[in-house]
């Protein structure tokens, strides 16, 4: 009798422990589900800028902002520039960082070139869904952060930035390409190795996209020039990149020679 009673006691105890574990797991799942619903509804606001729809945490002054898609106007743009921040919020990712519907929506977009000011998180960008997208540019990349740039896509960076990291140990260097156009601040101690903007166009073609004018305290911007001395102004309506030149590389293979077109800002002191 004692032996049977002991077995019964153990069965009750095991049953109690199993039930307790199930209860704890159930509470955890319910909390996660509630949190997800909260994050996707009341806790986050979905808003629109001129070209983007985005979300950020309500009531959090320093909340990172996530771009989640394009507005109707944004879908019509062949060239899209992503700034460092919108409405005072720094942009943290291209696509949601949390469940559900986490990927950036490219529905009906005609975008061919995407310019990013920084190496924001792009692992939720779903570039494969952007049928017309040909090139992605990261302007202020500095030292590449291999945790923020997805490995599924190549990124264009300035030639000077490309040279600075090509000998490094970063995995992401294999996904970086040098842009053949650079817009330079053209004054000492300017940021990002002196590079304001980058682009990459076919050799022999015109530059179609003109970036917004740079700013400098105490100076007014007076156009883009072909040399640092600002003698010959670049004419976007008629000037073209140099014609394509082919050369034989060290493997005795013919390839297109890289040629960089550098444009320099002219500044007039106020």
């Amino acid at each position: 009798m004692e032996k049977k009673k002991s077995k019964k006691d153990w069965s009750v105890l095991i049953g109690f422990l199993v039930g307790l574990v199930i209860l704890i797991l159930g509470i955890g799942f319910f909390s996660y589900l509630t949190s997800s619903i909260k994050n996707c509804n009341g806790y986050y606001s979905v808003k629109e800028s001129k070209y983007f729809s985005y979300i950020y945490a309500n009531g959090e002054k320093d909340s990172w902002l996530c771009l989640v898609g394009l507005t109707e106007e944004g879908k019509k743009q062949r060239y899209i520039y992503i700034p460092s921040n919108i409405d005072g919020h720094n942009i943290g990712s291209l696509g949601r960082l949390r469940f559900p519907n986490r990927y950036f929506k490219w529905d009906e977009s005609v975008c061919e070139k995407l310019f990013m000011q920084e190496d924001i998180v792009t692992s939720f960008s779903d570039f494969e869904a952007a049928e017309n997208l040909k090139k992605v540019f990261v302007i202020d990349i500095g030292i590449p952060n291999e945790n923020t740039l997805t490995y599924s896509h190549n990124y264009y960076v300035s030639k000077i930035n490309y040279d600075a990291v090509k000998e490094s140990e970063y995995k992401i260097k294999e996904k970086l390409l040098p842009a053949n156009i650079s817009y330079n601040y053209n004054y000492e101690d300017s940021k990002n190795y002196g590079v304001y903007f980058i682009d990459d166009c076919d050799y022999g073609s015109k530059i179609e996209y003109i970036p917004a004018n740079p700013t400098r305290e105490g100076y007014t911007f007076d156009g883009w020039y072909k040399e640092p001395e600002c003698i010959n102004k670049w004419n976007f309506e008629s000037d073209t990149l140099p014609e394509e030149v082919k050369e034989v590389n060290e493997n005795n293979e013919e390839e297109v020679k890289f040629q960089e077109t550098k444009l320099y800002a002219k500044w007039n002191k106020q």
Side-chain angles (χ1 to χ4, degrees):
M1 289 292 292
E2 290 295 330
K3 190 173 183 180
K4 289 183 178 181
K5 186 177 180 180
S6 177
K7 288 183 178 181
K8 184 177 180 180
D9 291 342
W10 276 108
S11 297
V12 172
L13 179 60
I14 292 173
F16 173 77
L17 292 175
V18 170
L20 181 61
V21 170
I22 294 174
L23 178 63
I24 293 173
L25 291 175
I27 293 173
F29 177 76
F30 179 77
S31 297
Y32 171 77
L33 185 61
T34 302
S35 176
S36 295
I37 294 174
K38 179 182 178 183
N39 287 339
C40 296
N41 293 293
Y43 188 60
Y44 280 118
S45 286
V46 179
K47 294 189 176 183
E48 290 187 350
S49 63
K50 185 176 181 179
Y51 296 142
F52 305 103
S53 58
Y54 59 92
I55 60 174
Y56 67 92
N58 290 329
E60 294 185 16
K61 183 178 180 181
D62 298 324
S63 168
W64 285 88
L65 177 154
C66 300
L67 302 180
V68 295
L70 297 170
T71 62
E72 291 303 314
E73 185 65 23
K75 294 175 183 178
K76 301 175 184 177
Q77 306 303 312
R78 290 174 59 204
Y79 310 116
I80 296 178
Y81 169 73
I82 300 178
S84 298
N85 64 77
I86 295 177
D87 289 343
H89 292 268
N90 291 329
I91 297 174
S93 68
L94 191 64
R96 301 190 186 197
L97 293 172
R98 300 189 181 186
F99 173 87
N101 301 323
R102 62 181 181 175
Y103 291 107
F104 187 90
K105 295 182 179 180
W106 291 97
D107 304 349
E108 303 175 358
S109 170
V110 299
C111 178
E112 298 174 12
K113 290 182 179 180
L114 182 70
F115 301 90
M116 298 189 299
Q117 190 64 36
E118 300 176 328
D119 53 336
I120 63 175
V121 177
T122 60
S123 53
F124 308 115
S125 58
D126 199 14
F127 287 135
E128 289 75 10
E131 297 180 357
N132 298 293
L133 185 64
K134 298 180 178 67
K135 297 178 180 180
V136 179
F137 299 84
V138 184
I139 303 169
D140 289 345
I141 193 172
I143 297 176
N145 186 340
E146 59 191 58
N147 295 319
T148 58
L149 302 182
T150 177
Y151 293 160
S152 65
H153 203 282
N154 290 328
Y155 296 85
Y156 285 84
V157 297
S158 67
K159 179 62 164 60
I160 192 169
N161 244 329
Y162 173 80
D163 290 340
V165 300
K166 68 180 180 180
E167 302 298 332
S168 71
E169 298 299 321
Y170 287 95
K171 296 177 183 177
I172 196 65
K173 69 179 181 178
E174 298 173 359
K175 288 293 183 179
L176 300 181
L177 298 171
N180 64 10
I181 303 170
S182 66
Y183 296 78
N184 297 272
Y185 285 107
N186 201 24
Y187 62 87
E188 292 184 1
D189 300 324
S190 53
K191 64 179 182 178
N192 197 38
Y193 301 107
V195 177
Y196 167 68
F197 201 81
I198 55 174
D199 200 349
D200 191 88
C201 296
D202 293 338
Y203 291 113
S205 69
K206 298 177 184 178
I207 299 174
E208 293 188 6
Y209 181 74
I210 304 175
N213 293 341
T215 59
R216 180 185 177 190
E217 187 175 355
Y219 292 81
T220 57
F221 173 72
D222 190 24
W224 295 107
Y225 285 75
K226 301 178 182 180
E227 58 282 301
E229 298 77 17
C230 299
I231 300 170
N232 299 292
K233 193 170 187 177
W234 183 272
N235 188 325
F236 287 93
E237 293 184 0
S238 60
D239 285 333
T240 61
L241 271 64
E243 294 296 327
E244 180 182 290
V245 175
K246 292 187 177 180
E247 61 182 3
V248 178
N249 61 25
E250 58 185 13
N251 296 321
N252 203 33
E253 299 172 336
E254 190 176 62
E255 63 180 10
V256 176
K257 179 182 179 181
F258 177 83
Q259 302 176 78
E260 183 181 11
T261 297
K262 295 183 178 182
L263 302 181
Y264 299 88
K266 180 178 180 180
W267 302 99
N268 294 326
K269 194 171 181 60
Q270 294 178 348

